Amino acid sequence: MGPGWVLGRWAGRLLVAGLVAFMTFPTLVVFVASFNDTAILSFPPQGYSLRWYANALTYPQFQRAAVNSLLVTLATAALALPLGIASVLALERGRLRGRAFWAAVLLSPLIIPGVVAGLGLLILGAAIGLLQSRWPLIFAHVVLVLPFVIRSLWVSLANLDPNLERAAASLGAGPWRVFWRITLPLLRPGLFAALLFAVIISLNEFVVSLFISTRVTEILPVAMFTYVVNYTDPTIAALSALFILGTFVIVYLADHVLDMSAVFQIAHGRDRERA
Amino acid sequence: MARDATEILKEPPATGRAEGGGPRVPALCLLPGLLAMAVFALALGALFQYSLLEFIPGSLRTGGVTTGNFRQVVAPQYLRAIWDTIALSLATTVLTLLASYPVAYALARGRSPVLRSLLLVLTLAPFFTGAIVRTYAWILVLGNAGFINSLLLKAGLLETPYQMIFTTQGVLVGLVHFSMPVMILILAAGISHIDPTYERAAVSLGANPVRTFLRVTLPLSMPGVISGFVVVFAWTFSAFPTPELLGGGRVKMIANVVKDLALDSFNWPGSAAFAVVALAVTFVLVAVVARSVERLGRHA
Amino acid sequence: MRSHTIRSLILAVLLAWAPGALAAEPLVVSTWGGNWKDTIERVIAKPFTQKTGIPVEFEVGGTLDRLTKARVTKASPLVDVTFTTTHVGRLYISDGLFQKLDMAKIPNAKEIFKEALRSDHHVGVWAYVYTIVYRTDLIKDEITKWADLWDPRFARKIGLPDFDPSHIITVSAVLEGGNEKDWEKGQERLKRLKPNVAAFFSTDARSQDLMKTGEAPVQVMLSVNAFHLQELGLPVKLVSPTDVGGIVGIDTIGIMAGTKKAEAAHKFIDFALSREVQEQLVLSFKAGPVHAKAAVPEKLRGQPGVFTTAQEWKEKAYILVDEVRAKNLPAWKEWFNANVVAK
């Protein structure tokens, strides 16, 4: 290994560090700004205070939106997971013609641009007169997270050893019992990943929600957008900081509970050699 | 064969045991999911219908059937939005690719598990933080009273703020930043599936690291590169919050025009026509590139 | 444990059914965000709640997206009282979104200028103008009339709003012997203004920025914003143009059709039109009062947009016909974007 080689390695490391800094740097600015003690931003801040955190947590529309976000996300997860499980089981194990076609249908929301889905649901929702309730919102979120749920579960189901289920069945367990006692527990990694996707995507969904939510149903990202457009004070910086912190905790925990590399299909050379 | 996140876009993970694995399940289980998709399709149908109805200014009522909305799409100022969208999407995708590859490489091939884990968390956290939070962060950085301008003004390097926000370049920075995590994840998945023995073989045959990278690693990672290209291009093509907040009404992409027409001008038919065009372009795009990925995948 | 989780999930789904169930029963007021909402809250809503015991809640958003939301939720409105511009108020009325006001329940309406009584469905609360505003330190030549904007001395100096070009379109038409109805007459003249335009703005904040940095030291600007810049110490002057009056804007309030709180809504409007509140609004917004007897601070009297006598309303204000403006706005925006904004 010549000196050029070593130099190259360090240049590479520096480059990666720079790029990661580019990705992280705005987040740091958000944190700094959130402690600014005046309504008008200045860097570095002239003084520090927690008043924007207080403002973010007491602003009525944020409180309402936080409750909405929670309810919509819970309902989305509660509906999308069973829906995803049923779909994946049918796709993988059903006597089905045109399997690929049906799969493509269920995964299609992925390539529908947000504004297209949003406007379509707005027109439909206005025609039915349902926009006062949260249901259009929940429906939209279910449809949007379903591809991710299906994908996560499918990988898990495809890797599942069917002999265990066959064994249980041969011991006299009925199909439901096999499903509850064997299949579902074995799908746990996939279920965790699916739940993670459903929760995170639903919590952050913005474009479609902007079109079909109203003052009483709007979720946090929409309320934050409205605030950003109308105010320049650092309240959103405080709220963002809380959001980012929450996300970090979820990602960190998720990385411990389930191997995130595996969720994103990143194999590591050494792990593979061992396998 | 390398499987990565983009396959979500085209085909199911065919296992080859569809008929043999586990207990049989009634195909009827597919019904609830398909029902949801049917309602969703109904919404898209309503959109198509509106795109062919006449707009009556100042109201939400619509007139008779017309193709006028599509002719309006090619009016100069809208054509410009389409052109800007294509140009911005291309620039974003290329820049994102360049900026993401080194990080993805480090993520897939880094030696230290701790650093790899840190990289993954630093990549995933923004991926999981919503568009509003991330775009707002750039307002703080690029704004006229933002981080960069404040520091330069204080240092005496500028006399008046340098306009970065509400410019095409500002939007571009935001879009690249927004797309990097997903690009990194896709590329890392691709790179990690390259068998390292190829690279070792090249090195043992006397190739230097640069040559090894250019002749072995890069070509073998092409499927991932192309997948990343499609996903980020399609994603940027329908970007909304970034141009909306960082463009300040001066930089408009297709999605912003759709929203303006729908929510600010009540022109649902015109907006629907625009949305249909966006949908068509997205479909064509995904189809074309998915096919080329497939062809490349067969060569690799 | 598991059944508990499932039960709470079911509960969450049930709760999602009834979004209103969690909220109390306040009067819901829809208005613009930012400073507008903050001032309305401080000057009107808080004292109103103190006086009547009726709590007030806000919906904030842009003029037009709030109208869109009102339209799609027409069957059962989510809002009781709406603040909007007078011409967009016309669209609320033509869609049946506003109910007819019961003037007997708004005694203060008798005290306001007749120009502010926009219709029997909506009533003005304050007024302002869009007029020429310029930096006296950067522009040495005095500007006295709209026609001056076309002077080659102001090449690349002018800033115009692009979200609502009504003002400059109307002025161009009037200078060519037309008005907002036959606005086409001004098209050629307006195209000739292009070499003088330095920038367009879509928000109040951007307009003020362009003035502060001197990027666009001559602007067709909202009087309220210009007064604000003066308070910050910026040397800007508001012109009372001699050829065409300042283009008046009147913000109005209306009561949503189908609201269950019409009684409280009428009280709210009457309170907003009271002399005390009007005086507070003038101080906060630097806008003109609609109440004929509201006291106006010395330095605002006679300024553009602050009309204090029937005479001033008559002589200095150019009020567009609401219906024409409401109906033409989409076409105006489209024409303006294609022919003036586009390169």
Side-chain angles (χ1 to χ4, degrees):
Chain A
M1 295 191 209
W5 205 85
V6 175
L7 206 68
R9 264 194 95 78
W10 276 103
R13 277 181 196 159
L14 214 64
L15 180 65
V16 171
L19 290 168
V20 172
F22 170 73
M23 289 204 319
T24 330
F25 158 70
T27 310
L28 299 178
V29 173
V30 167
F31 275 91
V32 173
S34 70
F35 296 109
N36 200 313
D37 73 340
T38 54
I40 297 165
L41 281 172
S42 64
F43 292 99
Q46 254 117 44
Y48 296 88
S49 92
L50 289 174
R51 58 188 280 211
W52 305 114
Y53 285 87
N55 193 32
L57 295 175
T58 54
Y59 188 66
Q61 192 59 17
F62 286 160
Q63 293 175 337
R64 186 204 299 270
V67 172
N68 283 333
S69 276
L70 206 67
L71 290 176
V72 169
T73 298
L74 277 177
T76 300
L79 291 171
L81 252 57
L83 219 58
I85 295 170
S87 307
V88 169
L89 282 173
L91 284 172
E92 175 82 4
R93 295 171 168 183
R95 196 189 294 276
L96 210 60
R97 282 161 53 108
R99 199 176 304 275
F101 172 76
W102 296 119
V105 168
L106 287 171
L107 298 176
S108 64
L110 272 178
I111 50 169
I112 309 287
V115 284
V116 174
L119 182 59
L121 287 165
L122 174 69
I123 292 174
L124 188 66
I128 307 176
L130 253 185
L131 289 172
Q132 280 95 340
S133 85
R134 293 191 188 89
W135 285 110
L137 216 51
I138 293 169
F139 172 77
H141 283 211
V142 168
V143 168
L144 292 176
V145 304
L146 201 54
F148 292 90
V149 169
I150 287 180
R151 171 74 195 168
S152 310
L153 288 169
W154 206 336
V155 175
S156 240
L157 187 65
N159 289 331
L160 186 149
D161 184 357
N163 286 324
L164 292 166
E165 290 162 292
R166 269 189 226 129
S170 72
L171 289 173
W176 272 109
R177 218 173 140 77
V178 173
F179 173 73
W180 277 111
R181 290 301 180 83
I182 310 288
T183 317
L184 213 52
L186 284 174
L187 282 180
R188 203 175 288 151
L191 280 170
F192 267 123
L195 184 67
L196 183 74
F197 272 120
V199 166
I200 298 244
I201 291 171
S202 172
L203 273 182
N204 285 313
E205 209 296 318
F206 166 66
V207 181
V208 176
S209 305
L210 176 72
F211 277 84
I212 54 173
S213 63
T214 62
R215 183 186 64 87
V216 273
T217 61
E218 75 181 10
I219 56 174
L220 217 37
V222 179
M224 288 170 78
F225 173 78
T226 307
Y227 198 95
V228 172
V229 173
N230 288 302
Y231 292 86
T232 50
D233 68 50
T235 303
I236 293 293
L239 199 57
S240 297
L242 294 174
F243 223 95
I244 293 167
L245 225 55
T247 311
F248 250 100
V249 171
I250 294 180
V251 172
Y252 183 80
L253 288 180
D255 196 25
H256 277 242
V257 175
L258 72 165
D259 182 3
M260 293 297 268
S261 298
V263 171
F264 289 97
Q265 317 267 306
I266 302 168
H268 290 297
R270 224 153 308 155
D271 309 342
R272 236 170 35 153
E273 278 162 46
R274 220 185 300 130
Chain B
M1 207 46 262
R3 302 210 150 269
D4 57 61
T6 54
E7 289 197 11
I8 236 169
L9 285 178
K10 40 192 180 52
E11 54 175 293
T15 59
R17 337 173 275 166
E19 299 292 319
R24 189 158 298 298
V25 172
L28 225 59
C29 284
L30 209 55
L31 211 59
L34 291 181
L35 216 62
M37 291 305 146
V39 176
F40 191 58
L42 213 60
L44 296 184
L47 183 85
F48 278 110
Q49 190 201 348
Y50 259 77
S51 73
L52 291 170
L53 294 179
E54 194 190 340
F55 167 53
I56 300 173
S59 82
L60 278 187
R61 280 164 290 142
T62 48
V65 174
T66 171
T67 55
N69 302 315
F70 287 96
R71 255 173 299 163
Q72 182 203 331
V73 169
V74 293
Q77 77 267 33
Y78 296 125
L79 219 50
R80 204 182 131 208
I82 296 179
W83 171 244
D84 281 356
T85 306
I86 294 174
L88 265 171
S89 303
L90 263 180
T92 302
T93 314
V94 171
L95 286 175
T96 306
L97 190 60
L98 292 176
S100 304
Y101 202 102
V103 184
Y105 190 84
L107 187 57
R109 288 288 152 88
R111 298 227 181 124
S112 150
V114 179
L115 278 182
R116 254 182 4 215
S117 177
L118 181 73
L119 266 184
L120 188 64
V121 170
L122 285 178
T123 308
L124 282 180
F127 181 63
F128 284 157
T129 326
I132 301 301
V133 170
R134 295 175 59 194
T135 310
Y136 174 73
W138 281 105
I139 296 181
L140 294 183
V141 175
L142 300 178
N144 284 354
F147 184 81
I148 295 177
N149 271 320
S150 292
L151 290 195
L152 292 180
L153 287 169
K154 274 199 186 116
L157 293 171
L158 283 181
E159 283 188 5
T160 55
Y162 183 71
Q163 189 72 35
M164 288 178 285
I165 196 169
F166 306 158
T167 65
T168 313
Q169 291 86 336
V171 174
L172 186 62
V173 169
L175 286 172
V176 169
H177 182 258
F178 189 71
S179 311
M180 271 181 76
V182 81
M183 181 70 98
I184 291 173
L185 291 172
I186 293 172
L187 289 177
I191 297 170
S192 71
H193 282 91
I194 301 170
D195 194 335
T197 45
Y198 289 124
E199 287 148 301
R200 261 181 250 139
V203 173
S204 71
L205 288 173
N208 65 31
V210 177
R211 216 179 141 77
T212 308
F213 175 77
L214 288 179
R215 289 300 177 83
V216 181
T217 318
L218 191 60
L220 284 175
S221 67
M222 274 324 265
V225 169
I226 293 175
S227 305
F229 201 94
V230 193
V231 170
V232 169
F233 190 94
W235 197 351
T236 314
F237 201 81
S238 57
F240 173 73
T242 311
E244 185 76 8
L245 290 175
L246 294 180
R250 311 193 62 74
V251 186
K252 284 202 160 119
M253 294 175 68
I254 291 177
N256 308 100
V257 176
V258 171
K259 181 255 172 188
D260 284 354
L261 284 173
L263 298 187
D264 294 344
S265 300
F266 337 107
N267 186 350
W268 287 10
S271 177
F274 234 89
V276 168
V277 170
L279 192 63
V281 174
T282 313
F283 270 135
V284 169
L285 215 83
V286 170
V288 165
V289 189
R291 179 172 274 184
S292 65
V293 176
E294 211 169 80
R295 208 175 303 137
L296 240 125
R298 235 176 271 139
H299 288 303
Chain C
M1 175 63 201
R2 168 172 294 160
S3 72
H4 183 72
T5 318
I6 291 172
R7 220 178 301 147
S8 26
L9 284 180
I10 292 171
L11 189 69
V13 172
L14 287 179
L15 276 176
W17 184 250
L22 292 171
E25 280 290 297
L27 186 72
V28 180
V29 174
S30 168
T31 181
W32 303 272
N35 185 38
W36 298 103
K37 180 233 158 189
D38 292 349
T39 307
I40 291 168
E41 185 168 31
R42 182 169 50 79
V43 174
I44 309 179
K46 288 246 168 81
F48 174 74
T49 306
Q50 253 172 25
K51 196 177 144 198
T52 62
I54 302 168
V56 174
E57 224 178 69
F58 286 94
E59 171 196 71
V60 297
T63 310
L64 297 173
D65 61 70
R66 286 186 295 122
L67 170 56
T68 305
K69 289 273 144 93
R71 280 173 162 164
V72 299
T73 55
K74 186 178 172 184
S76 54
L78 300 166
V79 165
D80 305 309
V81 174
T82 295
F83 281 79
T84 189
T85 57
T86 176
H87 56 285
V88 173
R90 283 285 158 188
L91 298 177
Y92 277 87
I93 296 167
S94 65
D95 273 22
L97 294 167
F98 277 169
Q99 60 175 261
K100 203 167 168 207
L101 297 174
D102 182 350
M103 287 302 173
K105 289 179 183 156
I106 314 177
N108 280 319
K110 284 191 215 78
E111 305 287 331
I112 72 177
F113 293 113
K114 69 173 174 31
E115 285 83 356
L117 290 168
R118 300 310 298 168
S119 74
D120 50 5
H121 287 72
H122 68 325
V123 48
V125 258
W126 58 73
Y128 46 78
V129 289
Y130 269 86
T131 190
I132 307 165
V133 177
Y134 66 99
R135 284 268 298 262
T136 49
D137 54 336
L138 299 175
I139 302 294
K140 295 297 169 211
D141 309 285
E142 204 185 350
I143 301 176
T144 57
K145 54 186 192 299
W146 287 101
D148 288 344
L149 292 180
W150 276 262
D151 194 310
R153 278 173 306 177
F154 303 126
R156 296 202 61 76
K157 296 269 190 249
I158 297 174
L160 296 176
D162 59 6
F163 60 98
D164 180 356
S166 314
H167 330 98
I168 195 70
I169 281 183
T170 304
V171 165
S172 302
V174 175
L175 289 177
E176 293 299 319
N179 57 41
E180 65 269 26
K181 288 182 206 99
D182 47 9
W183 64 282
E184 291 88 352
K185 283 189 181 163
Q187 285 181 348
E188 287 313 310
R189 172 179 264 274
L190 189 45
K191 281 187 197 164
R192 288 202 303 274
L193 187 59
K194 273 174 83 169
N196 281 8
V197 178
F200 297 94
F201 52 84
S202 316
T203 63
D204 292 348
R206 174 80 180 142
S207 158
Q208 295 180 38
D209 258 6
L210 289 170
M211 191 58 96
K212 280 186 209 160
T213 59
E215 279 172 85
V218 183
Q219 286 187 23
V220 175
M221 193 182 210
L222 178 62
S223 56
V224 171
N225 289 340
F227 291 129
H228 178 66
L229 288 177
Q230 281 182 343
E231 286 206 334
L232 293 179
L234 208 68
V236 294
K237 182 173 174 188
L238 291 88
V239 179
S240 288
T242 52
D243 46 359
V244 186
I247 305 298
V248 171
I250 299 173
D251 289 344
T252 57
I253 330 184
I255 300 176
M256 302 303 284
T259 170
K260 294 187 188 75
K261 282 161 260 169
E263 200 66 30
H266 278 96
K267 272 189 204 156
F268 184 85
I269 293 184
D270 189 50
F271 186 69
L273 295 181
S274 69
R275 190 170 155 182
E276 307 76 64
V277 171
Q278 285 284 308
E279 285 171 358
Q280 286 298 314
L281 286 170
V282 172
L283 286 178
S284 304
F285 283 140
K286 312 283 181 292
V290 295
H291 194 289
K293 293 189 190 121
V296 171
E298 191 58 45
K299 71 172 194 268
L300 281 179
R301 212 164 300 154
Q303 285 280 354
V306 186
F307 311 113
T308 47
T309 62
Q311 180 99 9
E312 281 181 345
W313 273 99
K314 211 160 157 193
E315 286 170 0
K316 289 176 150 187
Y318 188 100
I319 306 179
L320 276 75
V321 180
D322 285 346
E323 289 88 339
V324 174
R325 188 172 182 182
K327 206 175 119 263
N328 279 344
L329 196 53
W332 286 348
K333 261 160 93 168
E334 192 165 327
W335 182 87
F336 190 77
N337 270 317
N339 293 286
V340 183
V341 179
K343 276 151 202 149

